[in-house]
Amino acid sequence: MTIQIEQAARYINRILLQTPKVGLILGSGLGVLAEEIKDPVKVSYSDIPGFPASTVEGHAGQLVFGTLEGVNVIAMQGRFHFYEGYSLEKVTFPIRVMKKLGIEALIVTNAAGGVNTDLDPGDLMLITDHINNAGGNPLIGPNNTELGLRFPDLSTAYDVELQALAKRAAESLDIPLKEGVYVWNTGPSYETPAEVKMLRHLGGDAVGMSTVPEVIIARHAEIKVLGISCISNMAAGILDQPLTHHEVIETTEKAKDSFLLFMKEIISLYGQR
Ligand code: R1P
């Protein structure tokens, strides 16, 4: 594994001119942020040794390097999901590569279904904690102590200072920012109404099919994490309508302007720290 990480990082480093500070994972329909990156250098996943391929609509499948608000960033324009058939180790491989490239913070974004009825489609939700409802863990297997601890602490998986910074960014832009707990299910089927009811009882506010494995690996690697969900629809059984990925992409498209402003403000504040 370490050899593969090094090979991928070496390949990317040959192209990069500077060390990225912040890593970005852009969820379904949220890849537009990568288009705002100044002086972009794009590398297709298919060219990077050891990288899987993106197979989901709304996930472009490339890394984009450059600056956002003067901060060196590396964005994953598209992520990998367990349901695509990749092992959790493969799904989270890019996080370990980004760590090797030098990132100190990771902003993880996703499109998620609203479980809490106080949420509305189009809302931006600060992830304060998560529930691993899928059962799998990307750290299962022998632990490589060069990469992190056998038993990483997740009591503050989502960095408190970064959360405060995101709240400041939302306040200064007058964007109503919701807060909540993200639940990870494997997918690819959406939840049933009974499951959504159960998740609400368990303390979940939004549900999706990503993010948690990435956050576990980032924390294992001691990367600070900020998580933002875009509520793309209400989860099953809340509204009297079926769920589609088309709707997910459509809502993220509508939320695009506030998402872009918000993310850029967060990065700008991060750069001023
Ligand atoms: C379902 O519509 C897809 O949207 C979300 C779900 O996890 C699933 O992949 O995508 P992201 O989590 O990648 O944003």
Side-chain angles (χ1 to χ4, degrees):
M1 177 52 123
T2 33
I3 293 172
Q4 286 167 311
I5 297 168
E6 270 157 27
Q7 277 175 343
R10 208 173 313 128
Y11 176 85
I12 296 165
N13 260 329
R14 267 194 241 129
I15 303 165
L16 280 194
L17 301 174
Q18 280 168 331
T19 304
K21 250 184 145 177
V22 177
L24 299 161
I25 304 183
L26 304 175
S28 288
L30 301 171
V32 279
L33 182 62
E35 280 149 35
E36 303 281 309
I37 292 176
K38 298 259 157 27
D39 305 319
V41 177
K42 300 178 181 175
V43 187
S44 166
Y45 293 162
S46 58
D47 292 336
I48 307 172
F51 256 61
S54 275
T55 67
V56 184
E57 187 204 333
H59 293 259
Q62 57 182 9
L63 287 178
V64 184
F65 306 89
T67 60
L68 264 179
E69 306 298 307
V71 177
N72 288 342
V73 298
I74 167 174
M76 284 182 69
Q77 200 175 23
R79 64 146 56 84
F80 308 112
H81 308 81
F82 188 48
Y83 65 74
E84 291 174 80
Y86 299 123
S87 67
L88 287 175
E89 199 178 47
K90 260 303 197 219
V91 163
T92 54
F93 179 70
I95 288 94
R96 288 179 158 153
V97 174
M98 288 194 278
K99 167 75 180 182
K100 190 81 195 160
L101 294 174
I103 63 160
E104 48 191 50
L106 179 68
I107 309 183
V108 190
T109 68
N110 59 56
V115 168
N116 184 329
T117 50
D118 290 341
L119 295 169
D120 291 302
D123 276 350
L124 295 173
M125 184 189 93
L126 177 67
I127 304 177
T128 54
D129 205 346
H130 71 227
I131 295 174
N132 179 349
N133 196 51
N137 190 305
L139 292 173
I140 288 174
N143 185 55
N144 183 339
T145 48
E146 277 174 45
L147 302 179
L149 294 174
R150 169 78 285 188
F151 300 110
D153 175 33
L154 292 184
S155 44
T156 48
Y158 300 85
D159 188 79
V160 177
E161 276 176 41
L162 292 182
Q163 287 189 54
L165 194 137
K167 286 184 208 171
R168 264 174 52 210
E171 242 170 63
S172 72
L173 294 167
D174 218 9
I175 289 175
L177 181 63
K178 305 280 176 76
E179 289 181 30
V181 173
Y182 177 89
V183 182
W184 172 44
N185 280 341
T186 61
S189 50
Y190 291 113
E191 295 68 31
T192 65
E195 286 164 350
V196 170
K197 210 185 267 180
M198 175 192 76
L199 296 179
R200 196 177 308 130
H201 284 297
L202 289 178
D205 296 296
V207 63
M209 307 170 196
S210 68
T211 302
V212 169
E214 298 155 355
V215 172
I216 292 172
I217 290 301
R219 293 308 301 135
H220 184 243
E222 295 183 6
I223 300 167
K224 291 184 176 176
V225 173
L226 177 69
I228 307 291
S229 288
C230 175
I231 305 302
S232 49
N233 53 283
M234 295 313 286
I238 297 178
L239 303 177
D240 190 20
Q241 62 186 56
L243 309 184
T244 65
H245 188 57
H246 178 70
E247 186 194 359
V248 169
I249 301 288
E250 221 174 60
T251 312
T252 49
E253 171 66 30
K254 281 187 204 145
K256 184 174 106 179
D257 291 346
S258 50
F259 174 74
L260 290 178
L261 279 173
F262 178 51
M263 293 294 288
K264 287 203 273 186
E265 184 65 12
I266 291 173
I267 292 162
S268 161
L269 289 176
Y270 186 84
Q272 292 163 31
R273 276 158 58 249

